[in-house]
C-alpha cells in the first residue's frame, strides 16, 4: 500500500509524506517503511479516534486511509471532525459501516437489491428449520474478518447449543473464490471494477491471484453500488462462483482490500485517483486495466540495527 501511494505521488508530481500508526510502531513493518510513525491506542479504545484526529491536526494531514475493518466505525463516527480539519478520511458513512460489518444484514441488503447471495440464517432460525439451508452449512461470526471463526458443520447434531458471538449460517458454496475491487468517485459514479481470482489464500489474504474480466462480475458490482449508494472511494467484495448456483457474494469490505496491489499493478490505480481527488486534480479513474496479471506474494523483512 505504501509503495502504491508513493508511486502514485511520483506519477502525479506531488510531494507525499506518509505517516503510519500502530499500537506498537517499533514492531510494525509499515511504520518502519513510512516517513514517520506514531503510537496510537487499540482501535476499539474510546480514545482511538481522538488520537488520529490529533495526528491529523498537528501534521496537517490531507488523507486518512484505514486498513482494517475494526477501525472503520470509530473513524466514521467523527468524519465531520476530519472534514473540519481539512482532511478526507477514506471511510463510508456510519450507516454503510453498520451494514458491511454485519454479515447477516449485508446479505439481506444485497438480496433486496437483486444481488446474488447465499441463503443465510441466524442460529435460532437454523435450529427451528434444520433443513432450510441443506447440509453441510457454512458458519462465520457476523462481525468477523480475516477468516476468523469460520466453521463447516456437516449435520444439525454437530451444531453447538450456543456460540460466544452472533453467527451467520449460509449455504455451503463450492467453486473458485474471487475478490472484486471497485472504485466509486467522489461524485458517486462507479468508475472501475477489477476482479481477481484468489488462487491461494493465507490468513484470509490473497497470496496468489490473477486479474480476470467477466461481465457478470461487473453487473454484480453495479448491484452492490445500488444497494449501498453512499459508498464512495475504494471497496471490495468476495464472490464464490458455485458451479450449480453461480456467483454468490459472501461479504463486503468498505476499505482497501489486502489484494489491492494486484489491481494497482494491473492499471487500476485507486491510490492515484484518491490523491487526485484530495489534491484538486482531475480524476483520471478508468476501467482500462490489464487482464491476466498474476501476483505471487512472498515474505520479506525490514531490519533495524
Amino acid at each position: 500500500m505504501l509503495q502504491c501511494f508513493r508511486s502514485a505521488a511520483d506519477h502525479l508530481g506531488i510531494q507525499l509524506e506518509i505517516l503510519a500508526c500502530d499500537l506498537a510502531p517499533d514492531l510494525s513493518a509499515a511504520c518502519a517503511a513510512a516517513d514517520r510513525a506514531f503510537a496510537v491506542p487499540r482501535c476499539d479504545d474510546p480514545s482511538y479516534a481522538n488520537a488520529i484526529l490529533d495526528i491529523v491536526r498537528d501534521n496537517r494531514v490531507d488523507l486518512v486511509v484505514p486498513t482494517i475493518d475494526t477501525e472503520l466505525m470509530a473513524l466514521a463516527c467523527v468524519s465531520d471532525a476530519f472534514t473540519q480539519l481539512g482532511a478526507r478520511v477514506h471511510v463510508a458513512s456510519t450507516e454503510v459501516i453498520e451494514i458491511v460489518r454485519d454479515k447477516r444484514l449485508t446479505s439481506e441488503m444485497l438480496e433486496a437489491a437483486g444481488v446474488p447471495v447465499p441463503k443465510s440464517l441466524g442460529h435460532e432460525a437454523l435450529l427451528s428449520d434444520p433443513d432450510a439451508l441443506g447440509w453441510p452449512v457454512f458458519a462465520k461470526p457476523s462481525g468477523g474478518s480475516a477468516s476468523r471463526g469460520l466453521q463447516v458443520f456437516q449435520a444439525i447434531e454437530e451444531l453447538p447449543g450456543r456460540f460466544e458471538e452472533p453467527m451467520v449460517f449460509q449455504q455451503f458454496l463450492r467453486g473458485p473464490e474471487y475478490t472484486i475491487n471497485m472504485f466509486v468517485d467522489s461524485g458517486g459514479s462507479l468508475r472501475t471494477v477489477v476482479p481477481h481470482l484468489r488462487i491461494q489464500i493465507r490468513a484470509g489474504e490473497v497470496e496468489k491471484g490473477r486479474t480476470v474480466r467477466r461481465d457478470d462480475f461487473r453487473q454484480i458490482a453495479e448491484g452492490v453500488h445500488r444497494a449501498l449508494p453512499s459508498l464512495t472511494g475504494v471497496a471490495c467484495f468476495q464472490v464464490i462462483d458455485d458451479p450449480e448456483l453461480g456467483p454468490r457474494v459472501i461479504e463486503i469490505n468498505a476499505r482497501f482490500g489486502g489484494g489491492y496491489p494486484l489491481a494497482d499493478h494491473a492499471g487500476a490505480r485507486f491510490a492515484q485517483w484518491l490523491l487526485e481527488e484530495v489534491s484538486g486534480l482531475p480524476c483520471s479513474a478508468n476501467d482500462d486495466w490489464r487482464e491476466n496479471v498474476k501476483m505471487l506474494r512472498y515474505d520479506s523483512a525490514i531490519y533495524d540495527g
Side-chain angles (χ1 to χ4, degrees):
M1 281 280 288
L2 270 65
Q3 293 170 1
C4 291
F5 273 96
R6 285 192 170 122
S7 176
D10 288 344
H11 177 78
L12 295 173
I14 62 177
Q15 186 175 359
L16 181 71
E17 184 180 24
I18 296 180
L19 314 183
C21 305
D22 195 82
L23 184 65
D26 290 344
L27 299 177
S28 164
C31 286
D35 296 303
R36 285 189 285 159
F38 300 83
V40 294
R42 287 176 55 93
C43 58
D44 56 2
D45 188 298
S47 64
Y48 172 74
N50 284 332
I52 302 298
L53 283 166
D54 288 343
I55 294 170
V56 169
R57 180 185 301 106
D58 295 344
N59 297 277
R60 302 179 67 182
V61 171
D62 297 302
L63 177 64
V64 179
V65 182
T67 57
I68 57 175
D69 292 328
T70 45
E71 64 183 335
L72 297 179
M73 183 59 81
L75 297 178
C77 287
V78 294
S79 61
D80 288 344
F82 284 103
T83 301
Q84 291 172 10
L85 293 175
R88 173 177 175 179
V89 57
H90 180 256
V91 68
S93 66
T94 55
E95 292 79 13
V96 169
I97 302 303
E98 285 178 350
I99 293 170
V100 301
R101 292 291 292 137
D102 184 326
K103 291 179 171 54
R104 176 80 181 281
L105 187 56
T106 296
S107 182
E108 293 174 353
M109 291 292 293
L110 293 181
E111 186 174 25
V115 176
V117 294
K119 292 181 181 178
S120 302
L121 291 175
H123 188 202
E124 293 299 324
L126 181 59
L127 290 176
S128 299
D129 188 0
D131 296 321
L133 302 177
W135 295 94
V137 299
F138 181 71
K140 56 188 176 183
S142 186
S145 60
S147 296
R148 177 183 62 82
L150 306 185
Q151 300 178 69
V152 176
F153 296 100
Q154 300 295 329
I156 189 66
E157 292 77 18
E158 296 182 7
L159 213 63
R162 62 178 299 275
F163 291 87
E164 294 183 357
E165 58 185 318
M167 300 289 289
V168 175
F169 300 86
Q170 296 180 329
Q171 293 172 290
F172 184 77
L173 302 176
R174 297 171 174 83
E177 185 174 352
Y178 296 82
T179 293
I180 289 80
N181 300 278
M182 52 192 289
F183 183 83
V184 180
D185 67 21
S186 57
S189 296
L190 177 62
R191 302 287 293 272
T192 314
V193 177
V194 190
H196 67 251
L197 172 65
R198 292 160 65 91
I199 298 171
Q200 186 169 312
I201 311 300
R202 179 171 61 169
E205 299 289 355
V206 61
E207 187 174 45
K208 297 176 174 62
R210 175 172 50 83
T211 58
V212 299
R213 277 194 184 272
R214 286 180 47 171
D215 291 340
D216 55 346
F217 288 166
R218 172 78 194 200
Q219 292 169 5
I220 291 173
E222 292 170 354
V224 171
H225 186 221
R226 288 195 305 271
L228 302 170
S230 63
L231 181 66
T232 59
V234 181
C236 65
F237 58 93
Q238 310 299 124
V239 167
I240 293 180
D241 191 7
D242 188 274
E244 296 182 2
L245 300 174
R248 292 292 184 270
V249 178
I250 57 174
E251 66 177 65
I252 300 176
N253 298 309
R255 55 171 173 79
F256 278 91
Y260 163 68
L262 171 55
D264 186 278
H265 184 78
R269 298 184 174 92
F270 297 175
Q272 175 182 318
W273 303 337
L274 280 181
L275 290 181
E276 289 170 346
E277 289 186 346
V278 299
S279 300
L281 299 172
C283 182
S284 62
N286 61 81
D287 207 36
D288 188 23
W289 47 272
R290 301 188 306 280
E291 190 176 10
N292 291 321
V293 175
K294 187 185 297 181
M295 178 179 69
L296 308 175
R297 277 178 163 162
Y298 62 93
D299 289 330
S300 187
I302 294 177
Y303 300 97
D304 182 16

